[in-house]
Amino acid sequence: MSAVIEVNHLRKSYGQVKAIDDVSFQIEADKIYGMLGRNGAGKTTLMHILTAQGFATSGDLKVFGEHPYENEKVLRNICFIKESQKYPDTFSVKNVLDVSADFFPKWDRDFANSLIADFQLPLKRNVKKLSRGMLSSLGIVVGLASRAPLTIFDEPYLGLDAVARSLFYDRLLEDYSEHPRTIILSTHLIDEVSRLLEHVIVIDSGKVILDEETDTIRGRAYAVAGAASKVEDFLRGKQVIHREPFGGLLTAAVIGAGDGRDRHEAEGMGLEIQPVSLQQLVVHLSKINQVQGKEGERA
Amino acid sequence: MSRVAGVIRMQLKDWIWIALPWIVLLSAFFVNLILFATIDTEEENYTGALASIFIILFTNGIMTINQQFSFALGFSVRRKDYFWGTTAVVLILSALYAAALTVLTLVERASGGWGARLHFFRVHSLSDGSAAEWGWIMFVAFLNMFFAGFVFSCWKRRFGLKALFALLVVLALVLIVVSVLGTYYEGWDNLYRLLKPLSVGKLFTWLIIPPAINAFISYLLLRRTTA
């Protein structure tokens, strides 16, 4: 298994503020990663450093085995689609595609054109005059058609409606299965992308608080649903991370595998065991991290 | 494709580079031409409007950092490739602009000021030598204008707006001190005596140094600039 990205003890501080605080992780080739976390958690800062558009304060970083800074061999294999991408005032959508063809060696013009049609982007329109959703679509087109061995999408669907978002997920999965590559999706809309992700890295307050395969994460908690009173009985003595009442019903997320005795007990009480949503788990883990962080500060 | 070539192509897709200087200059030219062709005058007419194209090169030097640098960095371009690609574009366009302006100056001279005693492209004492010398002077002037704008823009991008103001204040103070000291020690007379024997063309050959220094400083600034 080869690591596309290796990060060791990476730190980035702005004066007293630690945007990235001793972060270490690896990203393996040809997998879809989720870089999850709240706004301001440090995701974008981290991705800027990974692509040599920003600088770390300290720590080691290797992308495709080398440091990416001013490294053409590395950079030409990276496509980083960021929410804050700027475009020259005079550029049309077509100009952006032409430039992409020059800078991304694996650019597929036909694929780009079919995506442009899918997302109904006007080729001749000035990028400055695109709506927020269209601008996001343009980023998605560039990111997918670049076929870069490392493609990073930072909050790629701002302003996109549900139809366009599901179009993005579908095209991404289709093309990924034909042309495997490493994809990192950074987002706070966790549930929507959870079915795409093979591995999840959760960042909170500049720290990595979770770095695991999606399947393993799902196994760490389960949801139980049924009549509120019965569910409450079941929950006694268990670690509950989320409660969602609906009329007389209650759905609760509980830490544990949800098999063996627990499953038996639940079935005996007429309750239903379901997989838990990734979002709830991430929210829960972020909360635990914050509590621990505060305790750490006191100690 | 080489990344530098990619940057050159990217820059040339921006029509502001190619079209804007000529739109401004030629519209000024035609306004002046119509004006002076309709007024019946015995005087020679100078306009000074040629300066507009040099000012546009200065503003292009400022704007490319805002317009193209962040864009290019976001599309996985190295800072180095952006710098060399942009420098190549400026060298090529400056040469083309200078050549075109030289030709227009020659036509102007041959046609007696476009038949209206209009000296739009002629600049007194600068353009009176050979065509090659006049072309060279304009080429060097373009580079001076562009990289002056470029280095300020790189500085602002690297250190922020406050640092730009600080730099301008410091530069103004340095200029004042230098001019006072120059007057006090009679440096200006000495400088004049030193430069007097040089032809205008030779003088401008020395003026290739400031844009080279500005380009080098710009490159060092860009090396540590973030997207």
Side-chain angles (χ1 to χ4, degrees):
Chain A
M1 236 177 277
S2 57
V4 169
I5 300 177
E6 290 171 78
V7 172
N8 276 308
H9 303 295
L10 203 71
R11 291 171 201 271
K12 170 75 181 178
S13 39
Y14 300 97
Q16 292 294 307
V17 183
K18 292 174 184 168
I20 305 286
D21 189 5
D22 194 18
V23 162
S24 301
F25 62 88
Q26 289 203 344
I27 298 245
E28 287 159 12
D30 302 341
K31 278 166 83 169
I32 301 182
Y33 281 75
M35 183 82 77
L36 312 178
R38 305 176 57 187
N39 286 329
K43 305 187 299 277
T44 304
T45 306
L46 183 59
M47 287 180 290
H48 270 96
I49 295 171
L50 293 179
T51 54
Q53 294 179 32
F55 301 110
T57 308
S58 67
D60 288 334
L61 163 66
K62 276 184 180 164
V63 181
F64 297 111
E66 295 173 27
H67 199 285
Y69 175 65
E70 292 293 88
N71 190 329
E72 186 187 338
K73 213 174 95 195
V74 173
L75 290 180
R76 67 190 302 142
N77 287 315
I78 299 178
C79 178
F80 175 28
I81 300 302
K82 55 185 173 183
E83 181 222 323
S84 61
Q85 176 66 50
K86 286 186 188 144
Y87 298 92
D89 286 346
T90 58
F91 269 30
S92 65
V93 171
K94 186 178 177 301
N95 287 147
V96 173
L97 299 184
D98 290 343
V99 168
S100 305
D102 284 348
F103 289 138
F104 301 114
K106 294 191 173 168
W107 181 259
D108 186 326
R109 193 172 287 273
D110 293 338
F111 185 40
N113 287 335
S114 83
L115 288 166
I116 288 285
D118 286 343
F119 284 98
Q120 299 174 349
L121 278 173
L123 269 180
K124 285 181 184 163
R125 185 157 323 162
N126 189 303
V127 176
K128 280 264 141 45
K129 294 194 174 122
L130 295 180
S131 67
R132 179 64 246 186
M134 283 173 158
L135 204 57
S136 296
S137 303
L138 178 59
I140 286 169
V141 172
V142 172
L144 290 178
S146 75
R147 297 236 172 94
L150 173 60
T151 306
I152 305 175
F153 290 100
D154 185 16
E155 301 289 359
Y157 20 64
L158 285 178
L160 282 190
D161 57 46
V163 177
R165 289 205 301 273
S166 76
L167 191 62
F168 168 50
Y169 307 140
D170 292 345
R171 291 291 175 277
L172 174 69
L173 273 183
E174 283 165 21
D175 198 60
Y176 169 76
S177 58
E178 278 176 44
H179 304 272
R181 52 201 193 259
T182 309
I183 293 169
I184 303 176
L185 281 171
S186 149
T187 180
H188 55 262
L189 288 174
I190 301 170
D191 271 346
E192 272 202 19
V193 295
S194 63
R195 71 182 172 98
L196 302 176
L197 306 178
E198 295 169 70
H199 194 112
V200 168
I201 294 176
V202 181
I203 297 189
D204 195 64
S205 309
K207 288 186 159 78
V208 171
I209 56 168
L210 182 74
D211 179 2
E212 272 181 67
E213 297 291 303
T214 314
D215 291 342
T216 317
I217 297 173
R218 285 189 207 282
R220 281 169 62 159
Y222 61 95
V224 57
S229 59
K230 281 186 178 172
V231 173
E232 289 295 352
D233 283 345
F234 176 82
L235 293 178
R236 208 159 291 139
K238 295 189 176 64
Q239 196 186 350
V240 182
I241 59 174
H242 185 75
R243 281 169 206 268
E244 204 174 297
F246 183 77
L249 300 173
L250 177 65
T251 305
V254 187
I255 290 288
D259 50 11
R261 216 160 56 89
D262 288 342
R263 179 171 286 271
H264 205 73
E265 186 190 346
E267 277 167 2
M269 296 169 80
L271 300 173
E272 206 182 327
I273 296 253
Q274 300 161 347
V276 74
S277 86
L278 202 58
Q279 174 129 356
Q280 282 166 12
L281 253 173
V282 168
V283 167
H284 167 66
L285 290 164
S286 303
K287 275 184 197 156
I288 291 179
N289 181 56
Q290 276 172 354
V291 172
Q292 283 173 345
K294 280 185 188 128
E295 280 167 359
E297 274 167 31
R298 271 186 233 117
Chain B
M1 172 192 249
S2 118
R3 313 291 273 181
V4 175
V7 173
I8 294 174
R9 281 166 54 106
M10 173 193 83
Q11 291 280 18
L12 293 179
K13 280 189 175 64
D14 198 339
W15 60 267
I16 280 183
W17 281 105
I18 299 150
L20 188 65
W22 293 96
I23 291 172
V24 172
L25 189 70
L26 292 180
S27 41
F29 171 69
F30 284 114
V31 168
N32 276 291
L33 186 60
I34 292 164
L35 202 66
F36 288 110
T38 45
I39 303 170
D40 200 16
T41 168
E42 291 301 304
E43 287 168 36
E44 302 297 318
N45 305 301
Y46 292 88
T47 68
L50 184 63
S52 65
I53 193 168
F54 293 92
I55 291 164
I56 288 169
L57 259 275
F58 177 74
T59 57
N60 270 356
I62 294 173
M63 288 196 330
T64 178
I65 292 293
N66 276 332
Q67 293 283 313
Q68 315 272 3
F69 176 71
S70 304
F71 172 69
L73 218 59
F75 276 59
S76 298
V77 172
R78 288 188 302 179
R79 293 160 178 84
K80 188 192 256 178
D81 295 329
Y82 167 79
F83 174 81
W84 285 115
T86 303
T87 302
V89 166
V90 172
L91 288 172
I92 296 164
L93 288 182
S94 296
L96 289 175
Y97 293 171
L101 289 175
T102 306
V103 169
L104 287 167
T105 310
L106 290 175
V107 174
E108 183 173 274
R109 203 179 288 169
S111 64
W114 313 97
R117 296 173 182 275
L118 173 62
H119 302 287
F120 189 85
F121 297 101
R122 181 183 167 199
V123 177
H124 207 64
S125 81
L126 287 180
S127 61
D128 298 339
S130 71
E133 188 183 73
W134 176 223
W136 173 247
I137 287 170
M138 285 189 287
F139 176 71
V140 173
F142 279 131
L143 296 184
N144 270 282
M145 295 306 281
F146 178 84
F147 283 107
F150 196 65
V151 74
F152 279 117
S153 198
C154 289
W155 178 275
K156 191 239 154 193
R157 182 85 203 175
R158 174 73 183 84
F159 297 115
L161 195 59
K162 281 182 194 160
L164 178 63
F165 288 135
L167 178 69
L168 292 174
V169 169
V170 169
L171 284 180
L173 289 176
V174 167
L175 277 179
I176 291 167
V177 170
V178 166
S179 70
V180 168
L181 289 180
T183 310
Y184 187 77
Y185 290 106
E186 297 176 352
W188 299 124
D189 291 342
N190 289 331
L191 187 69
Y192 180 70
R193 269 194 293 279
L194 191 74
L195 298 179
K196 207 185 168 204
L198 290 178
S199 70
V200 192
K202 285 231 175 64
L203 188 64
F204 271 79
T205 301
W206 283 103
L207 286 181
I208 200 83
I209 294 171
I213 292 172
N214 282 339
F216 182 66
I217 296 171
S218 304
Y219 177 64
L220 293 182
L221 291 169
L222 283 183
R223 294 272 298 174
R224 296 299 297 169
T225 299
T226 56

